[in-house]
Amino acid sequence: MKRIFLQDEGYKSRNFLHRPSLQPLNSRIMSEVIGSPKGTVFYYDMTEVDGINVSGVHEIITKIVSWMRESVQSHDKYLYLDSLNEEYDHEYNISSSLAGLKDCIVARTEEGHLLLGHLGKTLTEILNIVYEKKKITARELSDEYGKKLTLASTQLSDLYNLRLITRDEIILEEGGRQFLYQSLF
């Protein structure tokens, strides 16, 4: 996991509210993401942030994750949030902003994980299973939860394409392959 620092010489404000002032930060983050190895899992330590609104969410979360989704084949990178601040109501501000943008991201909490934003009920249930178990295959999901194998595979693939979980290919001894899906943390 690689931390992306949100404070630097170019951006020292603890408030992520004004789109034009956040655009250079977005550019720096994108450079760091693009220059990192394939498969890197990034996170933002949200203790560096006080206020954040939809402009801040869009510049430092949505644009970055959208690029990761579009570049999945060539870059295979991920982003999650860590240490949401209750005092500044990060959970509500980020979640409602992402829901309005029809987007989502995972945050690490003391209790485990938290989905912020918009994701359907079924995919949220599958996401919770992956984060509870830490890793799972489509066959295991199918067998343990009574889902059709093709449906389980599609749902896990959807979460992977949203950059909410990782995926590794495993070559089976008896021939063939399967994917092992894992939580980001």
Side-chain angles (χ1 to χ4, degrees):
M1 285 178 255
K2 183 176 181 181
R3 178 178 175 182
I4 294 178
F5 290 90
L6 298 173
Q7 302 287 312
D8 70 2
E9 291 302 314
Y11 195 83
K12 293 183 181 184
S13 175
R14 295 184 57 85
N15 291 301
F16 293 73
L17 308 170
H18 188 244
R19 187 177 309 273
S21 65
L22 292 167
Q23 288 169 341
L25 177 61
N26 171 286
S27 294
R28 180 183 58 81
I29 292 169
M30 283 304 305
S31 293
E32 187 171 344
V33 168
I34 290 168
S36 295
K38 189 173 184 176
T40 303
V41 177
F42 299 93
Y43 72 95
Y44 295 151
D45 180 349
M46 296 303 288
T47 60
E48 294 183 70
V49 179
D50 291 344
I52 188 166
N53 65 7
V54 71
S55 292
V57 168
H58 190 246
E59 283 298 322
I60 69 162
I61 298 173
T62 305
K63 285 184 177 181
I64 306 298
V65 174
S66 291
W67 178 88
M68 290 176 173
R69 290 175 186 151
E70 292 166 7
S71 305
V72 65
Q73 297 302 322
S74 58
H75 286 274
D76 192 33
K77 296 175 182 173
Y78 310 84
L79 176 66
Y80 71 89
L81 307 181
D82 194 22
S83 303
L84 298 178
N85 190 322
E86 284 184 40
E87 180 182 354
Y88 292 101
D89 214 1
H90 284 167
E91 180 182 339
Y92 174 79
N93 291 334
I94 295 168
S95 191
S96 61
S97 295
L98 286 170
L101 296 166
K102 300 280 191 249
D103 209 345
C104 59
I105 194 166
V106 175
R108 183 164 61 177
T109 66
E110 289 179 12
E111 298 79 31
H113 76 282
L114 177 66
L115 176 70
L116 301 173
H118 175 77
L119 187 65
K121 180 183 176 201
T122 303
L123 285 180
T124 300
E125 290 170 359
I126 303 302
L127 181 75
N128 291 338
I129 292 167
V130 175
Y131 275 81
E132 177 185 311
K133 293 188 159 293
K134 298 297 182 198
K135 55 186 171 182
I136 195 167
T137 65
R139 171 122 1 246
E140 291 167 341
L141 183 63
S142 173
D143 292 346
E144 292 177 34
Y145 296 91
K147 291 186 168 287
K148 293 187 187 241
L149 182 58
T150 55
L151 179 60
S153 180
T154 298
Q155 290 170 330
L156 288 166
S157 183
D158 288 348
L159 293 173
Y160 165 74
N161 288 328
L162 288 168
R163 318 317 294 150
L164 299 173
I165 60 176
T166 66
R167 177 174 81 182
D168 292 317
E169 184 176 357
I170 300 171
I171 305 301
L172 302 173
E173 289 180 15
E174 61 273 8
R177 67 183 174 114
Q178 71 177 350
F179 290 114
L180 178 65
Y181 295 90
Q182 300 178 73
S183 64
L184 298 181
F185 45 85

